[in-house]
Amino acid sequence: MRQDLNLFVELCDYLLQEEQKNPVARPVETSELFQKLDLSLNDFGVVDQDLVSNLKSIIKYTPKTASTAFFNQLFGGRVSKATLGDLLAVMLNNSMYTYKVAGPHVGIEKEIINNIIQLSGYPKDSSGTLAAGGSMTNFMALLMARDQKSPEVRAEGLNKTMTLYTSEASHYSISKNAVLSGIGKNNVRLVKTNEKGEMDAAHLEQLVKKDMQAGHTPFFVNATAGTTVLGGFDDITSISKICKTYNLWLHVDGAYCGSVIFSERYKYLVNGLELSDSFSLNAHKMLGTPLGCSIIITKHKAQLHHSFSNEADYLYQTDSDDFNLGKISLQCGRRNDALKLWTLWKSIGKKGLEKIVDHQFELAEYARAYISNHPDYSLYSFDDSISVCFNYRDIPANLLCTALYKEAELMVGFGRFRDTEFVRMVTINTVLKKEDILNFFQTIEAFVSKDLLKSSLPEA
Amino acid sequence: MRQDLNLFVELCDYLLQEEQKNPVARPVETSELFQKLDLSLNDFGVVDQDLVSNLKSIIKYTPKTASTAFFNQLFGGRVSKATLGDLLAVMLNNSMYTYKVAGPHVGIEKEIINNIIQLSGYPKDSSGTLAAGGSMTNFMALLMARDQKSPEVRAEGLNKTMTLYTSEASHYSISKNAVLSGIGKNNVRLVKTNEKGEMDAAHLEQLVKKDMQAGHTPFFVNATAGTTVLGGFDDITSISKICKTYNLWLHVDGAYCGSVIFSERYKYLVNGLELSDSFSLNAHKMLGTPLGCSIIITKHKAQLHHSFSNEADYLYQTDSDDFNLGKISLQCGRRNDALKLWTLWKSIGKKGLEKIVDHQFELAEYARAYISNHPDYSLYSFDDSISVCFNYRDIPANLLCTALYKEAELMVGFGRFRDTEFVRMVTINTVLKKEDILNFFQTIEAFVSKDLLKSSLPEA
């Protein structure tokens, strides 16, 4: 292993240089991928020297999610203390299902969960766990809600129409999870939103009433803290009132922006969070840990156990359920995704996490100000969102983003709200500075003015 | 980052030394965990020196899954070229959903899938993906089967009784997944097994017929390649005949031992695999990669897409569905779990993977021979299984295993088949040698003869 650690460090040095020199890797056409790079797996292996040179070619053409030119996803950057923790998790290779084989890492996961419970205003006897992604934590919330409303489903299976509610602007996983769980896509009600993409609570109530009148069983409302495109926040307090009235489980999907709980200044965006039944956030988004670090907490400790527990006596051989995390996990074996957040939190404190969150809003504010001050741009975003949505000179956003990618200038994507498509730049990479934001806009302007856009478009 | 890489290497050196010096970490009582180790997360951070010394204490008390004394789970050891790949995946931090942000790693995942398709005897136009664990790949198989049999369920939800079949000796995830998917636990039929824990195909057929007569909809059979406790293999060919007759989806759960496809000598254990509809294996088990590397392939490429696809235009912005792996994933964002298997395979070839697999069977054979030659032991295992199950001197297996753990002698668990409980030693750690197996037994014998067992038992 020691020798391969040296190879690893050599490859890291190469990667860190490449990120600086070529912040956007030149994309390889999919039709040329297997010719351009040796990705083949064969009967016989290769010597270390060849493996390393092969890996360097792969690194060269790998999209650089930690570079100063990456604005494409709801994650990005590299917060090195979190990376340190995840590297260590790979080396330790513990599975989180039992205390016997995970030991102190069970305590680490519990410490994270308990601190997030406290920051969310949940009661002390709440519980929580980690899953492989935000779609999966949303899935766990839906299942707990289904099982709480109709406990017979776990044994007998579904044989009635259960309905759930989420806004038009929410993540696609809510509908997908309805399919996975046997609820069915037709039983997902998409609630209208206002002009900021926030759920219309009055419409939610209408939909619930209609379903009750039809004899259906409403059971679950998903509110979003950070909608996928616009980065908007549903009004948890008003939604919660409806949930209380009709006895519906309220989940807050904070995969994208739930980490505002760490910020004194921005936590108001999830006002009313303490009224919800479950809440999820992805530390690999706003907090900058490596993928994945998806956390869910719930007030209903017994329901979490009831929905995910299992009797596997080959597995649980020592200690209590409280320390055998497999009893509250979606899956069985589970890699240690807690350590990366713990090393980060331990090294910079909650105050440091707050700075990370606040800085992203500051970068977004700076970007919005730039757009507002330059007449060639149209702004579609609002205050207190880290999704900065805009168009430049009436250039179709999809053409602009694809050209910037193909020409290895910038990694940025486009989004759509109602009838408008626009560039969605995400200021989630917390190691960026204002000059990187400035550089982003100036790169677009230079790119367009050099007529580079035209040359990269398909021929007429 | 560069400085934290140095800290990482320093911590690795400490870990590698500890693994040698103390192959079994002394367990900390859960009641003392938060006193003995500083796991606290606070408002303010700590300096690097304190973080490193803190992490060293945590490493010291972390169960050593890569040591020569770890026989506790269906994984273990550290194959360093695979670890190298996973460390690199942490640094690169690509999400596998789109070609735009994963680039060559999409090709790496496809190359792995295509090679496993070939080794499994599946048609060339088969497809596959990775998920966060073996429970999740089993879940994907169940969902594809459900959706193929009853396509209306995806839209309308479940409103009939669908039944599925798995052996008494199969993994608990099959029943758990039936609950998650809305099928219900009561609609899981547990098929009887023979004395080796292999599914009784005649009983399977009886159960299917009975359900059809009752007006239910049978849809899914799970066969196991490597049962959790005994490491047995269901007879795929005979099960397949029944599946063909009654039009049932046949999944082969090879999470534990599906990697026998890499061995010319042992691939006979999954004879008939090419007759199945889907097949899953965990490279983090027999192939020794870090957690997790769970792979599923299926002949039904269109069904994989149909069951897991999603219309997220904010996400899929370049290239075809074939290269945007989010279209066939259970979840949305997904860490790169392919690279670790690719670096291993590339560096040692299929022939090297074969040696890894064969070596585990050789170690098991050696262990069984030792047991057979020593009258103080009773053997419960059979040939061609890497689960070596035994009892020693009529000592209750659970007492022995727990005492060995508490006294930091060995990490090994117990299992049960029918009315017998026994020690289950797993020879899956491929970096072990025969002397490590010998040492395992000698440690037990010395431990018992020194009467250490009694001292660690609770007082009467």
Side-chain angles (χ1 to χ4, degrees), chain B residues 369-405:
Chain B
Y370 184 94
I371 292 167
S372 301
N373 291 330
H374 288 74
D376 282 346
Y377 291 85
S378 331
L379 180 67
Y380 303 99
S381 286
F382 38 82
D383 285 356
D384 293 352
S385 158
I386 62 168
S387 289
V388 180
C389 301
F390 66 88
N391 274 321
Y392 179 64
R393 284 198 191 173
D394 299 328
I395 301 168
N398 59 359
L399 291 185
L400 180 60
C401 292
T402 303
L404 287 165
Y405 158 66

Side-chain angles (χ1 to χ4, degrees), chain A residues 2 4 13 28 40 72 78 80 91 99-100 146 154-155 176 179 186 308 317 329 346 414, chain B residues 2 4 13 28 40 72 78 80 91 99-100 146 154-155 176 179 185-186 308 317 329 346 414:
Chain A
R2 200 56 191 77
D4 283 329
D13 283 334
V28 184
S40 68
N72 203 78
R78 185 184 294 115
S80 79
M91 287 293 293
Y99 187 73
K100 188 177 179 188
R146 185 196 70 178
R154 287 181 51 81
K176 185 169 174 175
V179 175
N186 290 354
F308 300 102
Q317 312 202 328
S329 293
K346 189 73 181 174
F414 51 92
Chain B
R2 200 58 192 74
D4 282 329
D13 282 335
V28 183
S40 67
N72 203 77
R78 185 185 293 117
S80 78
M91 286 294 292
Y99 188 73
K100 188 177 179 189
R146 185 197 71 178
R154 287 180 51 80
K176 185 169 175 175
V179 176
K185 199 165 184 170
N186 290 354
F308 300 102
Q317 311 201 328
S329 293
K346 189 73 182 172
F414 51 93

